[in-house]
Amino acid sequence: MLEIAGLSHTYANGTVALNDVSLSIPRGMFGLLGPNGAGKSTLMRTIATLQAPTAGTIRFGDIDALAEPDRLRRTLGYLPQDFGVYPRVSAYAMLDQMAVLKGITGRADRKAVVETLLNQTNLWAVRDKAIAGFSGGMRQRFGIAQALIGNPELIIVDEPTAGLDPEERNRFLNLLAAIGDNVVVILSTHIVDDVADLCPLMAVLANGRVQLQGKPADLIAST
Ligand code: ADP
Ligand code: ADP
């Protein structure tokens, strides 16, 4: 369970991006729906411990994320909105390097992890190709592969379907759905269907505030 309480963030220029956000997010898929500028990326980066909030707390199980960011990061998989990739490097080599950074140092362990992830994300056939040549859909699937290294228990994906064609979108969402119910997966998106198709629970964020939270069928019917 991820417990966010009273989270606020005001940027240096005075923009209030998050305003007293409280959310209880159980294991399974959770949709964070909101228009551009709602504060979704700010919230995702804050949960990922990449920026400190102005106020509030974040707990994941027995981890106090703001006090113990290293502990949180060890169990976090993050696919940022502006996921940067390393053009001249092959998918295999990149995942292998990232596995080392995640502390998977044994050669055989790394081989097993990287091969499993390449298969899981349907990138095995292109494992030796440079990521620079990948389509948008392939890049996002690579993004999920890197986020899954080390079996994280908290996975955050920020606007992952933006710019994908319908087929790649479905492929990507099916990948997310297959991660399973033992992991907290937060899907941030401005696309209602992403959440409606996939998430048993959701929240709507607008102007830095949680406007609604509950089951998509109930919320989307009422809006
Ligand atoms: P979303 O991901 O929902 O589009 P963001 O978290 O990116 O929302 O942005 C929330 C608000 O904070 C917006 O008004 C945005 O312009 C502003 N914002 C985001 N990043 C910064 C920043 N580094 N400095 C100042 N304002 C920012
Ligand atoms: P798009 O998103 O443009 O429809 P896809 O990701 O669906 O592209 O790719 C379609 C197929 O083309 C994939 O199965 C993949 O094997 C192949 N493909 C696309 N780009 C590359 C590439 N850079 N290197 C190797 N194969 C590629």
Side-chain angles (χ1 to χ4, degrees):
M1 179 82 113
L2 180 72
E3 292 277 3
I4 297 167
L7 202 69
S8 294
H9 190 89
T10 303
Y11 284 105
N13 66 2
T15 303
V16 179
L18 296 175
N19 190 345
D20 198 19
V21 168
S22 296
L23 290 169
S24 292
I25 303 181
R27 287 169 195 266
M29 292 279 308
F30 186 90
L32 181 71
L33 183 67
N36 287 333
K40 301 184 299 298
S41 291
T42 301
L43 180 58
M44 300 295 96
R45 286 195 299 268
T46 306
I47 297 169
T49 74
L50 297 176
Q51 70 185 55
T54 316
T57 57
I58 302 170
R59 299 194 64 87
F60 182 60
D62 70 346
I63 302 174
D64 178 337
L66 302 177
E68 314 165 279
D70 290 346
R71 267 187 86 200
L72 186 91
R73 287 173 201 153
R74 274 199 287 278
T75 195
L76 173 76
Y78 180 41
L79 176 52
Q81 182 173 12
D82 50 359
F83 180 53
V85 289
Y86 297 78
R88 285 170 214 285
V89 180
S90 74
Y92 192 106
M94 191 67 212
L95 285 179
D96 193 55
Q97 285 172 24
M98 294 176 104
V100 174
L101 294 178
K102 285 249 179 164
I104 306 170
T105 49
R107 209 175 255 270
D109 291 343
R110 242 163 43 225
K111 185 168 187 282
V113 166
V114 170
E115 292 187 0
T116 300
L117 289 173
L118 286 167
N119 279 309
Q120 190 178 343
T121 55
N122 261 302
L123 292 171
W124 178 253
V126 295
R127 66 191 178 284
D128 294 323
K129 307 271 184 195
I131 301 162
F134 282 9
S135 68
M138 296 164 81
R139 283 179 191 226
Q140 288 302 72
R141 283 186 273 129
F142 177 80
I144 278 296
Q146 63 82 26
L148 289 173
I149 296 171
N151 295 319
E153 291 188 72
L154 172 61
I155 296 176
I156 298 174
V157 289
D158 195 358
E159 292 273 4
T161 61
L164 299 191
D165 65 33
E167 188 192 324
E168 269 295 358
R169 172 180 168 271
N170 284 334
R171 266 204 221 181
F172 184 88
L173 294 178
N174 287 336
L175 256 180
L176 279 191
I179 292 171
D181 293 338
N182 280 328
V183 175
V184 174
V185 182
I186 305 176
L187 168 64
S188 142
T189 182
H190 65 276
I191 302 170
V192 175
D193 285 348
D194 285 357
V195 169
D197 291 354
L198 212 62
C199 303
L201 290 173
M202 67 176 287
V204 176
L205 193 70
N207 297 316
R209 284 182 177 275
V210 176
Q211 309 287 337
L212 296 164
Q213 82 181 281
K215 297 179 184 169
D218 299 341
L219 300 188
I220 292 166
S222 74
T223 52

